Each structure stands twice: as structure tokens, then as C-alpha cells.
Amino acid sequence: MGGNLYRRNDVKRSCFGTQNKKCRLLALALALVLAAPAFPTPENFFQDQEAPQEFAAEDFVSEWGGSGFYTELDLPGAWRAEVEPYRKRWLSAWGRAELKTILENGARYRHYVRRRLQEEGLPACIEYIPVIESSYKPLASPVSGKSIGLWQFMENSIENYLRKTKWLDERRDPWKSTDAAIKKLKANYNQFGDWLLAIAAYNCGAGAVKRALKKTGQKTFWSLSERELIPGHAIAYVPNLLAVSDIAQNSFWYGVDLPEAFFDAESYSPYDDFDYLQVNKAVSLRALANETRMDPKILLELNPALLYETTPPDETYELRLPRGMKAAVQDAIFSLNKKEEYADSK
């Protein structure tokens, strides 16, 4: 990006309007400084750019149309030239609308993701991996059907993280898959000691990153990217994540209207505050909702891992419930069991 990111509003008023020669010379020098490129040119493709400094909203305006404070990310490299094409893409008219829609899709899940990242000490930018992976849709799946869910786990990568049986698939559960993604990313970080490498490994596999690192003396994501030692989709993955994170976390500065994570207190209570009840037999969620006079959509959305709208008949399942509903659901299951026993006895 050429040009300085900020323009002081009072420069022209304070000096250019005066006849004082010394002041005019000072103003000319200041204008030359402001007009100088703030970031490396494309020829310096693999050099770090400097992030904008933090300035008061009333004094500075960004060239993107926003204003206020700019906050640097907790992952490095957001102002490298490799990130710039993705930032421009998301800041286009289409990109802004798309990002707003995606974050609206994920509004009910992002609070849980954010809280768990904080609890586990992971970078806040990881909140935006589902933007790239699934557009924050909990049941998203590509045409191939090999991956599914917010975090797009493939079936061959869920061992020790998630369960899949003929009755359920926990990749579809946004809360359990979030916990699984955090565990996987932490394992990658423990292996590579670098968050950008850990994130790249989440995309292309730890084995691919490990093999690539053996081929270069420089142990950074950018060195692997520059030499194309990892797959192209992984080379694009990290800069795309940095661009999305930068815009989402500095939306006011970029002048982008984006939704925040929210609580839906009217119907679901907070989307990361639930009751749980262990169920040891098949129970229809729709019958349970009818017995408790609850909208069945609530139980179905809170238990998306269930493939047939019923709890498994041959294993224990932890049913997720709106906060405060545990006792009512226990009574409802007891009542349904009694009705079933009576029907069987006739």
C-alpha cells in the first residue's frame, strides 16, 4: 500500500494558509514526510510491514474509511505483503458483505469459541479459523463430504478428539468440535513451537509441515511459503486468516460494520451455558420437546451430533439442554418411559 495510512486534519489549516516563509518550509517538509510510503513496496515482498500506530479517533482517519484506534493482532505478520491481497479482497464491497454474513452465521457460537481460547491461552485470532473453514456453519460440508462442521474435521483426523458412530457424529457439534480443534492446535504448537506453523499444520497436516521443515534451515511459516514447501492451500491459509482477523478485530478502523458474538437470552439463554443430562436409551428429541412443551428446534440445534433426532439406544449420551431445563427433562423422560411401558403391556 502506498502512502501514509493517516492524514492530520489540521496540517493545512495551521501552516499553509500563512505568509511566513519558515512556516511554509516546515509545512512542506512535513507534507513530504506524510506522503512518503509507509510500507515496503511490492519489491520487498517478504519483508514485514509496520502495523499502523494507535492514534485518537478525533485526530486520525484511516485510508479505508474508518477511524479510531488500531490494535495489533496477537499473531505476527498481519502487515506482510503476502497478506495484502487477502485484505483487499475482504475489504471489497463483496468481501465486506460476505464477511458480515459469515460472522452473523457464527454469532451464537463465537462467544463460546472466544471464551475457550482465552481459557486455554490460544491466540484470539483463532476465533476466525471457522470463517475460512466453514463460513461458521456448524453442518457445513464440501461436495466431497470428507470433512464437516465449523472446524472441518476429516474422519481420519478425529481419533482422540471426537467420536463418530452409526448414531452420532461429534464433528457436527460446534461446541465439542471447538474443544477438539483447540486440543489439536495446542498439540501442533507443542510440536512446532510457533503458532503460524501450528495453524498451517491444522490445514495441511503436521506431517506435511514436519517434512517441509527438514528441507530448510529457516523454521518459519514464511520461509516454507516463500519456497513453496507446503501445499498451495496451506500457503494461502495463514495470510487469509491474518487478513480476516485484522479486519474483524479492527472493524471500526476499517470502517466495516460487523456483528459481534451475542447471547440469545430470550430463547436459548447464553450459547455457552447449558445443562446436561446423561441418557442411556433411545429418546426421541421431538417427543421430549413435546412432553416439555419446548420448541423441538431448540433441542435439535443444541444436539446436532445426533444423526437421527434420537439419542443412541446402546450407549450413554450426554444430552445438551437449555440452562434450567434439566429437572423438567428428567421428569419428561420418566413420563415417556411410563407411557412406553404401558403401551408394551397392552
Side-chain angles (χ1 to χ4, degrees):
M1 271 186 312
N4 201 294
L5 288 177
Y6 300 98
R7 300 288 186 270
R8 283 300 300 265
N9 298 326
D10 56 355
V11 169
K12 193 173 286 188
R13 289 199 306 272
S14 60
C15 286
F16 282 112
T18 181
Q19 299 300 315
N20 184 289
K21 183 177 181 181
K22 183 180 292 187
C23 188
R24 289 200 303 273
L25 288 174
L26 177 61
L28 179 60
L30 179 58
L32 289 172
V33 169
L34 288 173
F39 304 115
T41 59
E43 287 74 22
N44 306 119
F45 193 74
F46 291 105
Q47 294 183 13
D48 279 321
Q49 299 176 343
E50 292 182 7
Q53 300 175 28
E54 293 187 353
F55 292 114
E58 63 270 17
D59 291 334
F60 293 91
V61 177
S62 83
E63 69 175 40
W64 297 102
S67 63
F69 289 98
Y70 179 89
T71 303
E72 291 193 49
L73 305 184
D74 53 5
L75 288 177
W79 287 90
R80 290 181 65 96
E82 299 97 318
V83 179
E84 194 63 17
Y86 299 96
R87 183 166 22 241
K88 288 181 177 178
R89 173 185 177 275
W90 286 109
L91 286 172
S92 68
W94 175 89
R96 290 170 183 242
E98 180 70 7
L99 186 56
K100 182 176 182 179
T101 298
I102 291 172
L103 292 179
E104 284 173 348
N105 291 339
R108 65 181 59 176
Y109 309 115
R110 287 169 54 211
H111 187 273
Y112 180 80
V113 174
R114 187 177 300 171
R115 178 169 68 81
R116 293 292 293 124
L117 291 174
Q118 291 174 347
E119 290 173 350
E120 297 295 331
L122 274 68
C125 293
I126 289 174
E127 175 185 337
Y128 303 100
I129 284 180
V131 171
I132 300 168
E133 289 284 359
S134 64
S135 295
Y136 252 113
K137 295 178 180 178
L139 301 182
S141 181
V143 175
S144 67
K146 292 182 178 180
S147 58
I148 195 169
L150 284 188
W151 300 87
Q152 290 294 288
F153 274 93
M154 299 182 70
E155 191 171 341
N156 62 5
S157 66
I158 64 174
E159 187 177 1
N160 301 322
Y161 297 109
L162 295 166
R163 289 193 305 152
K164 184 179 184 302
T165 72
K166 64 181 179 180
W167 293 98
L168 60 87
D169 186 347
E170 291 182 343
R171 296 179 299 168
R172 295 158 47 101
D173 188 309
W175 301 278
K176 289 186 177 181
S177 64
T178 292
D179 291 344
I182 288 172
K183 289 179 182 177
K184 195 171 186 68
L185 284 159
K186 286 183 75 173
N188 289 349
Y189 179 76
N190 290 337
Q191 181 174 358
F192 299 114
D194 179 277
W195 277 115
L196 297 188
L197 289 176
I199 292 167
Y202 185 85
N203 176 255
C204 67
V209 171
K210 188 176 180 179
R211 289 190 295 271
L213 289 172
K214 290 181 178 179
K215 299 176 182 179
T216 176
Q218 295 179 309
K219 307 297 184 181
T220 69
F221 166 80
W222 304 111
S223 65
L224 301 186
S225 172
E226 181 179 1
R227 297 178 61 182
E228 298 183 352
L229 295 176
I230 52 177
H233 54 83
I235 291 174
Y237 193 80
V238 169
N240 196 12
L241 173 65
L242 290 172
V244 170
S245 302
D246 187 40
I247 295 167
Q249 294 193 11
N250 289 290
S251 58
F252 288 108
W253 192 83
Y254 283 109
V256 181
D257 179 24
L258 296 177
E260 256 299 340
F262 70 87
F263 293 113
D264 185 2
E266 283 189 13
S267 56
Y268 290 63
S269 193
Y271 268 86
D272 58 352
D273 185 19
F274 308 109
D275 277 341
Y276 293 90
L277 178 65
Q278 288 193 341
V279 180
N280 299 309
K281 60 176 295 183
V283 177
S284 165
L285 296 195
R286 291 188 180 275
L288 190 58
N290 183 62
E291 194 72 21
T292 56
R293 298 183 181 180
M294 192 189 314
D295 184 347
K297 180 182 176 182
I298 295 177
L299 282 181
L300 294 172
E301 287 192 1
L302 293 186
N303 297 275
L306 296 175
L307 299 176
Y308 302 106
E309 299 186 358
T310 185
T311 58
D314 52 0
E315 60 181 282
T316 299
Y317 177 79
E318 194 170 55
L319 190 65
R320 185 181 291 113
L321 305 167
R323 174 67 70 184
M325 288 296 296
K326 184 175 181 178
V329 170
Q330 283 178 316
D331 291 341
I333 291 176
F334 180 81
S335 177
L336 288 172
N337 288 339
K338 288 296 184 184
K339 289 179 181 178
E340 185 177 321
E341 290 173 6
Y342 176 75
D344 291 340
S345 67
K346 290 181 69 176

